[in-house]
Amino acid sequence: MGTTQLESVPEPKYWHLKTVLSDALDSEFAVGEILPNERDLAARFGVARATLRQALEQLELEGRLQRRRGVGTTVAPPRMGVAVGDAGHVWPGAATDSWQAVDGVEAAPPAAVARLLGTGAEESVHTVRRIRRTHGQAVAAELLYVPAASVPGLAAIDAPGGAARARAVLRELQRLQLEGQERSVELGSARADDAKQLDRLPGSPVLVVTTRYSAGGGTAAVAVATYRADTCRLTFDGLLAG
Amino acid sequence: MGTTQLESVPEPKYWHLKTVLSDALDSEFAVGEILPNERDLAARFGVARATLRQALEQLELEGRLQRRRGVGTTVAPPRMGVAVGDAGHVWPGAATDSWQAVDGVEAAPPAAVARLLGTGAEESVHTVRRIRRTHGQAVAAELLYVPAASVPGLAAIDAPGGAARARAVLRELQRLQLEGQERSVELGSARADDAKQLDRLPGSPVLVVTTRYSAGGGTAAVAVATYRADTCRLTFDGLLAG
DNA sequence: AAGTGGTCTAGACCACACC
DNA sequence: GTGTGGTCTAGACCACTTC
């Protein structure tokens, strides 16, 4: 008894640091501005560099900061909204979308995708790689899996591979009657190849959007799109009357 | 010249460690099984504990592991799919939904929410806190903001606050004609209060789902739901014919 | 060459769960 | 009390960008 209520819970240093930095970002820094380097910041707050980094990591996760090796830490602009909702309920590759076909090959999909497609474990499917750009920046990398049965007209084309073949697959898809699509969103970490295309380090947090396209009573295609979690806010369009 | 192609890129230790552990999880561990503790694991792989922890953090981010202080690290079950799509296009609080009202107060919303609502900066609104449980586990915490103008019948009720008042607000909402809803999903880190209700540490990664409900030509309510990113996969229902 | 963030180490102590 | 994961330190070196 007698002790006045002051101790409270020992809030972690990095947590307190994060709130202090967050307030400073709001009041004292402009978007794009460069922060002092990590060693200076750590010294200024009287903590080890690792602790300071823990706070910066959180702020980067929340999209408040952007860190680039060899360059520095800058104040990030607000996240951009990117529409993943069904703008018009169309197949991937419609003329209006913001994706760019990069490559197309034939290969066996990951087990999880094969399960969604309902194909055999080792059965190879058309695999199209696309990139989505918004305001000049790459925001998402996608792998689209299309079983040969979904695009019967494609055999005649026989493009060698590469972007031309990718476009051919997308073109054939448009012929089908799209009956529905199911989507899911979850947190993931960027694989090495995706990270490279998104200009991020491997392992950086991404939002993985998996879409199952239905046609002819079955699954005609599956898309796995990897969005940069630091810069993107996924938007789903109004679902009733607008 | 002359040097054979062997050096390659120096892959970070924690990254390599992560893939090794990931493979081991697939082949040698069952869901729910407890892993050796971090000090033992680090010694076994010949790395510092901090490096081992970096690999574990990634695996936890991907939903492969679950770590609990004082207990240990266990193999996580596959993420559960939780529907955030518009199951029936209904107001929050409909009889069918899986949310539980916890508290209701009147307070000024955060600036970002006030902007969505179109209310004044300091204008207070009904604020309902709800929790969503699936399979007995808390998967999401939500704050629902409802301007007084949206629920004109509420003044007569004048519940004191708490769960009863929260339910009253939800009940009044059902009277309105829902015209549409817009949703967005982004990555965030759990605030202290949300973390507590979700049985996570503050700062753990969450998926923030913001929904704007339209009625009467304006915004009738805004919901900010915080989902555990480690255990949840958000699903959006089929949008055309099923 | 200089400066930045990214990785890694080998310790220490703390908060929490369980016995 | 014992054992677990969580926090923190004070260094070191590496990879990358820029000048």
Side-chain angles (χ1 to χ4, degrees), chain B residues 199-214:
Chain B
D199 191 28
R200 300 255 63 199
L201 289 178
S204 37
V206 293
L207 296 171
V208 180
V209 180
T210 305
T211 308
R212 190 170 74 83
Y213 296 93
S214 313

Side-chain angles (χ1 to χ4, degrees), chain A residues 36-55:
Chain A
N37 72 53
E38 296 182 349
R39 292 163 179 85
D40 285 354
L41 275 179
R44 179 175 316 184
F45 288 106
V47 300
R49 189 178 157 217
T51 304
L52 184 271
R53 276 180 61 82
Q54 211 171 342

